């Protein structure tokens, strides 16, 4: 068993002792409570991370000046006196979980929508008209000093509220970064031009904050080590930025990217197509040039790789965002030698996409996210029951785990020879984390006191034997074939059933269906060397996908040399030569293909649900058996069904 000596080693940062090298990166909230203050769920969101064993929990995206700096409506202002009691409660909650508390102080600058700042124009280093037609005003020197003072006042307030450290946000395209970047700073005075001049405002902020909090109080600063966008600065400039900050702050937190470019945002929050620790090389390079401790962030979730990176790079700490949403107890499991039990982040972007879509944070693999108070104050189980769970996919496995946690007796029936489902995850390298999640969850179920019966279907005899008080049906869905001539031909395969390098697939492929499954299958087939066309009836690809993952998918399609798309085409037939289709005007087009991959959707196994429903009056349907959806909905369905049992 690995010892993880580096990850578990303490670190002294100014007057603060961090108990290990694992930090909770700043993440912001999807929704606030009454009066736009932190709710109990908001506070418990951060408390849960602290309870999980990290050394430091950072409260993200707190604004230093609400009147000019708010970039979205879910931001609390440190200059709002009514927010102070909630900030005190937040710091106390993090401390009660056993972690140090940090707060990230920020200003949105030119990226502030006038709607969120009282109808005023946004301010930034340079004036321009943005993509929405709103004018951004160039900051006067007086405003520059005023905002620097606001950062100092915010840091002093955070210290008074009980926080142990402040993080100055000087990356990701917000105000301080806007001054650093040549893309957004076109000034010709002392605040623009050379890098020395462009760093003048961030250094002024650091100076003012230091004067406000004192030498012993630690200051962290987040920078983009590279903008990772067309025309943006690279690691060489990132090194110079860090050198300018060296010795003036107590931690340098190296991230990447900018809000100024959509794909740069994807690389800032690396998705399924990027590698583990995607931006870690930036921190490793910067560490060679500074004496200040350096933190890295971005797609870390595997303890062995985290330990190896710290050992080899000399970087001091690893910050995690989504990995601690998926499993807040990742650090504690490392401490206890329970690494195999860590629930991996899928890097699907559902947490961020949900915030953008409907102001709710959810996680595909953690049903507590978005209602964290239930973790600390669970709905009581009034009566322990005998449950029969039918189906061992994500919904069924989560139901079994939750049922055991709540003290029920569980029988889990699966018709195949193993738990897990998600066979499509075997088809692509970029789905490795889904495979990790599936296999970890299956192993967890097998280790629990669950009566697992594989290669089994539910019969009258089985029900008579088990005598369930409630049945939870998680029987899934089947791939659907378009009702067109040739849909069942020998050259047609279903995307959900493909395996890597499938010998049934010829060189020229047409994928029917440009939803998430079709797009991902097309990407993987193109990577395997096939010439692929994705055929979609709608005008947009991947509309069923969360925004962050969709950006990744569309980028992968764009850069794939042998992958083509045809939107606005309706398939009318399939034959040995390929696919016939018509466009919006009714014009017929032939798409040649050796193989046709059917990704036209999934249909719930409604007949099986109906058959099972006769066995028990307390009956729940979960996951794809309700309607074909994604892992997150299945996981939450399984959890909810068990919570509702017997209520």
């Amino acid at each position: 068993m690995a010892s993880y000596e580096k990850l578990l080693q303490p670190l002294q940062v100014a007057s603060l002792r961090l108990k290990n090298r694992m930090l909770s990166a700043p993440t912001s909230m999807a929704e606030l409570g009454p009066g736009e203050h932190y709710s109990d769920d908001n506070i418990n969101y951060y408390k849960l991370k602290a309870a999980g064993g990290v050394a430091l929990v950072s409260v993200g995206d707190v604004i230093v000046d609400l009147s000019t700096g708010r970039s979205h409506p879910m931001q609390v202002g440190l200059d709002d006196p009514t927010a102070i009691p909630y900030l005190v409660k937040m710091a106390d909650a993090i401390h009660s979980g056993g972690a140090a508390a940090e707060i990230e102080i920020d200003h949105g600058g030119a990226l502030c929508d006038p709607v969120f700042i009282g109808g005023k124009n946004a301010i930034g280093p340079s004036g321009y008209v943005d993509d929405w037609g709103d004018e951004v005003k160039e900051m006067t020197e007086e405003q520059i000093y005023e905002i620097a003072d606001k950062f100092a006042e915010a840091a002093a307030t955070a210290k008074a509220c009980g926080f142990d450290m402040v993080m100055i946000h000087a990356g990701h395209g917000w105000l301080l970064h806007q001054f650093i970047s040549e893309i957004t700073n076109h000034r010709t005075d002392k605040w623009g031009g050379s890098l020395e001049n462009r760093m003048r405002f961030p250094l002024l902020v650091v100076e003012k904050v230091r004067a406000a909090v004192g030498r012993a109080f630690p200051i962290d600063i987040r920078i983009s080590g590279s903008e990772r966008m067309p025309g943006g600065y690279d690691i060489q400039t990132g090194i110079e930025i860090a050198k300018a900050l060296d010795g003036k702050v107590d931690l340098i937190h190296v991230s990447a990217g900018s809000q100024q470019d959509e794909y740069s945002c994807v690389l800032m929050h690396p998705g399924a197509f990027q590698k583990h620790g995607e931006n870690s090389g930036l921190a490793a390079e910067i560490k060679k040039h500074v004496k200040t401790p350096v933190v890295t962030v971005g797609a870390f979730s595997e303890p062995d790789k985290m330990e190896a990176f710290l050992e080899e790079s000399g970087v001091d700490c690893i910050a995690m965002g989504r990995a601690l949403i998926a499993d807040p107890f990742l650090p504690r499991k490392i401490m206890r030698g329970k690494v195999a039990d860590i629930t991996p982040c899928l890097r699907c972007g559902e947490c961020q996409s949900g915030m953008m879509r409907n102001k709710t944070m959810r996680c595909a693999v953690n049903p507590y996210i978005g209602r964290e108070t239930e973790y600390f104050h669970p709905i009581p189980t009034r009566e322990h029951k005998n449950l029969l769970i039918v189906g061992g996919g994500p919904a069924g496995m989560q139901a079994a785990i939750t049922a055991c946690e709540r003290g029920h007796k569980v029988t889990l029936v699966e018709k195949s020879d193993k738990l897990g489902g998600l066979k499509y995850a075997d088809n692509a390298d970029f789905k490795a984390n889904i495979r990790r999640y599936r296999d970890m969850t299956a192993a967890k179920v097998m280790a629990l006191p669950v009566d697992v019966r594989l290669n089994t279907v539910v019969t009258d005899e089985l029900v008579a034997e088990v005598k369930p008080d409630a049945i939870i049906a998680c029987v899934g869905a089947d791939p659907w074939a378009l009702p067109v001539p040739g849909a069942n031909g020998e050259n047609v395969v279903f995307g959900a059933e493909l395996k890597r390098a499938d010998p049934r697939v010829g060189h020229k492929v047409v994928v029917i269906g440009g939803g998430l499954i079709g797009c991902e299958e097309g990407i993987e087939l193109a990577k395997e060397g096939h010439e692929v066309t994705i055929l979609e009836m709608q005008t947009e690809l991947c509309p069923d996908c969360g925004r962050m993952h969709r950006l990744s998918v569309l980028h992968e399609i764009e850069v794939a040399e042998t992958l083509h798309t045809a939107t606005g085409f309706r398939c009318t037939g399939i034959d040995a030569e390929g696919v016939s289709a018509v466009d919006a005007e009714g014009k017929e087009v032939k798409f040649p293909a050796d193989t046709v991959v059917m990704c036209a959707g999934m249909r719930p196994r409604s007949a099986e649900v109906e058959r099972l429903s006769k066995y028990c009056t307390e009956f729940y349907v979960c996951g794809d058996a309700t309607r074909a959806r994604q892992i997150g909905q299945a996981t939450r369905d399984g959890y909810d069904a068990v919570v509702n049992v017997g209520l």
Side-chain angles (χ1 to χ4, degrees):
M1 183 180 72
S3 62
Y4 303 107
E5 291 181 7
K6 278 288 184 181
L7 285 171
L8 299 178
Q9 184 179 28
L11 176 68
Q12 192 72 31
V13 180
S15 61
L16 180 65
R17 181 182 183 272
L18 299 178
K19 65 184 180 182
N20 59 52
R21 304 300 178 99
M22 293 173 283
L23 315 181
S24 173
T27 53
S28 57
M29 301 312 306
E31 54 189 335
L32 296 173
E36 298 184 338
H37 295 311
Y38 291 124
S39 68
D40 286 345
D41 268 345
N42 296 154
I43 291 169
N44 283 322
Y45 167 80
Y46 292 106
K47 180 180 178 179
L48 187 57
K49 296 174 187 293
V54 290
L56 177 77
V57 174
S58 185
V59 178
D61 216 12
V62 182
I63 298 302
V64 302
D65 181 19
L66 284 176
S67 69
T68 64
R70 203 177 198 188
S71 60
H72 66 80
M74 301 304 160
Q75 293 171 308
V76 168
L78 274 159
D79 60 337
D80 176 7
T82 67
I84 288 176
Y86 301 90
L87 291 164
V88 171
K89 189 175 181 181
M90 178 74 80
D92 285 348
I94 293 170
H95 290 147
S96 74
E102 178 184 65
I103 196 162
E104 179 187 52
I105 55 177
D106 192 13
H107 189 293
L111 295 181
C112 293
D113 190 316
V115 170
F116 306 135
I117 51 175
K120 299 186 298 292
N121 293 102
I123 57 174
S126 301
Y128 66 99
V129 177
D130 67 22
D131 293 341
W132 294 272
D134 295 317
E135 184 181 2
V136 175
K137 295 287 190 179
E138 179 175 298
M139 291 171 68
T140 65
E141 186 161 291
E142 181 182 9
Q143 286 177 312
I144 288 171
Y145 279 97
E146 286 175 354
I147 298 302
D149 286 334
K150 286 286 189 178
F151 271 94
E153 292 164 10
T157 299
K159 180 180 178 182
C161 288
F163 286 89
D164 305 291
M165 190 183 328
V166 292
M167 175 190 284
I168 299 169
H169 202 338
H172 293 178
W174 305 117
L175 181 60
L176 299 191
H177 186 184
Q178 291 162 23
F179 270 82
I180 295 170
S181 175
E182 289 185 285
I183 289 177
T184 47
N185 187 343
H186 306 137
R187 301 177 75 105
T188 56
D189 59 7
K190 70 178 184 179
W191 306 99
S194 67
L195 179 61
E196 180 183 4
N197 282 357
R198 301 196 313 273
M199 282 296 297
R200 197 181 298 274
F201 179 45
L203 289 172
L204 174 65
V205 168
V206 171
E207 178 186 338
K208 296 267 191 179
V209 168
R210 177 61 73 198
V213 298
R215 180 64 254 180
F217 189 80
I219 299 173
D220 185 1
I221 192 163
R222 180 176 247 196
I223 65 170
S224 290
S226 167
E227 290 185 293
R228 302 198 68 180
M229 61 185 286
Y233 67 73
D234 61 12
I235 181 57
Q236 294 308 314
T237 298
I239 291 169
E240 295 305 314
I241 293 167
K243 286 166 67 175
L245 295 163
D246 193 22
K248 298 178 176 66
V249 295
D250 303 292
L251 276 181
I252 299 175
H253 183 115
V254 182
S255 184
S258 172
Q259 302 287 344
Q260 307 284 343
D261 179 84
E262 280 196 328
Y263 189 62
S264 181
C265 288
V266 170
L267 298 175
M268 183 194 305
H269 310 284
F273 297 101
Q274 284 78 49
K275 66 180 183 296
H276 179 96
E278 171 74 15
N279 295 313
S280 59
L282 302 173
E285 192 59 35
I286 283 172
K287 179 63 181 176
K288 298 175 186 177
H289 299 272
V290 298
K291 295 179 180 179
T292 303
V294 172
V295 181
T296 187
V297 67
F300 281 99
S301 62
E302 298 180 45
D304 288 351
K305 292 181 179 179
M306 292 160 61
E307 177 75 10
F309 175 74
L310 291 183
E311 181 69 39
E312 295 163 9
S313 70
V315 170
D316 299 276
C317 296
I318 290 175
M320 293 169 281
R322 292 165 297 170
L324 296 176
I325 294 173
D327 193 340
F329 291 90
L330 182 155
R332 196 173 292 279
K333 289 175 181 178
I334 291 174
M335 297 173 201
R336 293 176 175 174
K338 302 288 187 181
V339 169
D341 290 342
I342 292 172
T343 302
C345 170
L346 304 187
R347 286 197 262 158
C348 61
E350 178 56 29
C351 48
Q352 298 158 303
S353 298
M355 293 169 69
M356 298 172 190
R357 184 175 57 243
N358 51 25
K359 297 184 175 62
T360 56
M361 183 185 287
R362 297 289 184 265
C363 176
V365 296
N366 185 348
Y368 285 110
I369 297 304
R371 49 189 190 190
E372 291 78 10
T373 301
E374 284 186 25
Y375 179 84
F376 294 104
H377 305 286
I379 298 171
T381 301
R382 298 183 180 181
E383 182 182 358
H384 292 154
K385 294 202 170 188
N386 186 10
L387 306 186
L388 174 60
I389 300 171
V390 187
M397 292 191 296
Q398 183 62 56
I401 292 168
T402 305
C404 281
E405 289 173 348
R406 295 175 69 83
H408 298 294
K409 181 181 179 183
V410 185
T411 301
L412 174 58
V413 171
E414 166 56 41
K415 69 177 183 179
S416 71
D417 61 355
K418 61 181 179 180
L419 298 178
L422 304 175
K423 292 181 181 179
Y424 65 83
D426 295 324
N427 188 35
D429 288 338
F430 63 84
K431 295 178 182 176
N433 276 19
I434 296 179
R435 294 194 293 275
R436 283 179 59 212
Y437 160 72
R438 176 193 65 191
D439 297 343
M440 178 282 303
T441 308
K444 185 174 182 179
V445 172
M446 295 299 291
L448 290 170
V450 176
D451 180 5
V452 177
R453 304 192 187 189
L454 303 175
N455 300 303
T456 302
V457 296
V458 174
T459 62
D460 294 350
E461 291 76 17
L462 185 142
V463 173
E465 174 201 344
V466 174
K467 297 181 176 62
D469 299 309
I471 292 177
I472 301 175
C474 311
V475 295
D478 293 312
W480 182 60
L482 284 178
V484 298
N488 296 313
E490 292 184 1
N491 63 335
V492 178
V493 296
F494 287 99
E497 298 172 352
L498 279 177
K499 299 183 182 299
R500 287 161 76 182
D502 197 314
R504 296 175 295 169
V505 181
H507 175 66
K508 191 179 288 289
V509 179
V510 170
V511 176
I512 296 179
L516 178 58
I517 293 176
C519 288
E520 289 186 338
E521 293 295 352
I523 290 166
E524 183 61 23
L525 289 167
K527 288 182 176 181
E528 291 177 0
H530 300 277
E531 185 177 337
V532 183
T533 298
I534 299 174
L535 194 67
E536 168 56 40
M537 186 168 62
Q538 305 298 323
T539 57
E540 291 186 342
L541 295 172
C542 219
D544 56 337
C545 181
R547 182 173 184 270
M548 293 302 292
H549 188 51
R550 184 171 185 264
L551 288 173
S552 287
V553 168
L554 294 180
H555 176 80
E556 293 296 316
I557 291 172
E558 181 181 349
V559 300
E561 293 181 0
T562 62
L563 179 55
H564 317 282
T565 63
T567 58
F569 285 91
R570 178 173 59 84
C571 174
T572 56
I574 302 168
D575 58 29
E577 305 302 319
V579 177
S580 299
V582 295
D583 64 14
E585 283 73 41
K587 179 183 176 182
E588 292 190 8
V589 181
K590 186 76 171 187
F591 294 89
D594 303 313
T595 305
V596 176
V597 178
M598 189 70 71
C599 298
M602 306 287 287
R603 285 196 165 179
R605 293 176 177 140
S606 300
E608 179 66 359
V609 169
E610 186 65 26
R611 184 182 76 84
L612 294 170
S613 68
K614 69 181 182 181
Y615 288 119
C616 209
T617 55
E618 189 165 0
F619 184 78
Y620 303 89
V621 185
C622 299
D624 285 355
T626 303
R627 59 185 175 90
R629 295 175 292 172
Q630 296 174 13
I631 294 172
Q633 291 92 348
T635 301
R636 187 158 289 229
D637 276 1
Y639 170 84
D640 285 340
V642 174
V643 171
N644 287 326
V645 166
L647 292 183

